[in-house]
Amino acid sequence: MTVTGRGPDRAPSDEREERGVTAPVIGVLALQGDVREHVAALAGAGADARPVRRPAELDVVDGLVIPGGESTTISKLADIFEMREPIDKRIAGGMPVYGSCAGMIMLAAEVLDGRPDQRGFAGIDMTVRRNAFGRQVDSFEAPVEIAGVEGEPFHAIFIRAPWVERVGAGVEVLGRVTEGPAAGRIVAVRQGHLVATSFHPELTGDLRLHRYFVDLVRAAA
Ligand code: GLN
């Protein structure tokens, strides 16, 4: 292989373009939840994926995934591991973040049915309701179409999932439940560099959402 264009006259933007075709470094917040599944899905989608639990590990990532799990626990551990302020700062600086399920709750400006002491990151202008689909239905599956993702609807798995009850003017609705008693409920959103879904694409082997996020990180880098 011949590499051309190297030399002292190369502009910094050329370097950046070249880096753009290499794998972006994407962290998965590894305080609690299904970290391994997201690392595997991100790697499958072309990222250099790694768990992130310390501020120094956060410093070197181009993007972050907040996994499913338990938002009250993630909130508590974010304080204990002193990750709250560093994550808020990176979000303010434009770092792309994708939150799935508990991760969506951690990205919501307002949470209904939360614990009074749980706190999210400086995230998406939306209100989510925890465990919204009802106590009887602990988990269920439904097709969801995502704007900007081609092909079949997602086979979405919801596990004690939140839904979105309000979105601000700057928030784009990416997907809603299309069938059953919860039809019409908002379950995927995006606000600029922040993306959130109520469901768990990392559990189905369908990498389209992770690819969507990897592309977003690449574009932002
Ligand atoms: N119910 C959980 C919470 O409130 C979310 C569940 C999940 O992430 N699968 O954080």
Side-chain angles (χ1 to χ4, degrees):
M1 196 180 91
T2 319
V3 180
T4 54
R6 290 198 183 276
D9 57 343
R10 272 167 60 86
S13 64
D14 291 337
E15 298 286 357
R16 231 173 288 135
E17 235 161 67
E18 191 168 285
R19 258 193 327 198
V21 300
T22 69
V25 179
I26 303 185
V28 180
L29 186 62
L31 301 174
Q32 187 261 341
D34 65 338
V35 175
R36 255 191 323 171
E37 291 81 353
H38 276 290
V39 170
L42 287 167
D48 175 350
R50 45 182 86 169
V52 161
R53 169 175 308 115
R54 302 279 179 193
E57 293 165 341
L58 181 71
D59 285 347
V60 300
V61 302
D62 303 311
L64 185 71
V65 167
I66 306 176
E70 179 47 60
S71 56
T72 54
T73 306
I74 295 174
S75 171
K76 211 179 298 167
L77 292 175
D79 289 323
I80 292 171
F81 282 76
E82 299 183 333
M83 287 295 275
R84 186 175 295 281
E85 204 195 311
I87 291 175
D88 279 345
K89 272 201 187 135
R90 290 293 311 269
I91 289 176
M95 175 182 68
V97 183
Y98 165 43
S100 136
C101 203
M104 169 187 258
I105 297 169
M106 290 302 295
L107 282 178
E110 193 186 0
V111 177
L112 304 176
D113 292 340
R115 267 186 30 179
D117 61 342
Q118 83 177 91
R119 275 201 302 141
F121 300 117
I124 298 173
D125 179 15
M126 65 175 172
T127 304
V128 301
R129 185 177 295 282
R130 279 180 76 216
N131 305 334
F133 292 92
R135 289 232 168 93
Q136 317 80 307
V137 262
D138 237 22
S139 77
F140 73 101
E141 302 174 16
V144 174
E145 272 183 53
I146 301 290
V149 178
E150 307 247 307
E152 304 269 286
F154 274 84
H155 178 76
I157 300 179
F158 299 87
I159 305 168
R160 290 182 296 285
W163 65 40
V164 181
E165 296 212 348
R166 177 198 66 86
V167 290
V171 180
E172 187 188 351
V173 173
L174 294 183
R176 297 174 188 267
V177 177
T178 55
E179 277 174 21
R185 289 294 179 183
I186 300 170
V187 292
V189 294
R190 173 170 177 180
Q191 183 172 22
H193 56 292
L194 305 176
V195 179
T197 65
S198 304
F199 56 94
H200 292 270
E202 74 282 8
L203 300 180
T204 54
D206 183 341
L207 296 180
R208 287 176 296 162
L209 248 165
H210 289 84
R211 276 196 212 107
Y212 174 93
F213 184 63
V214 171
D215 286 347
L216 198 164
V217 174
R218 257 201 199 109

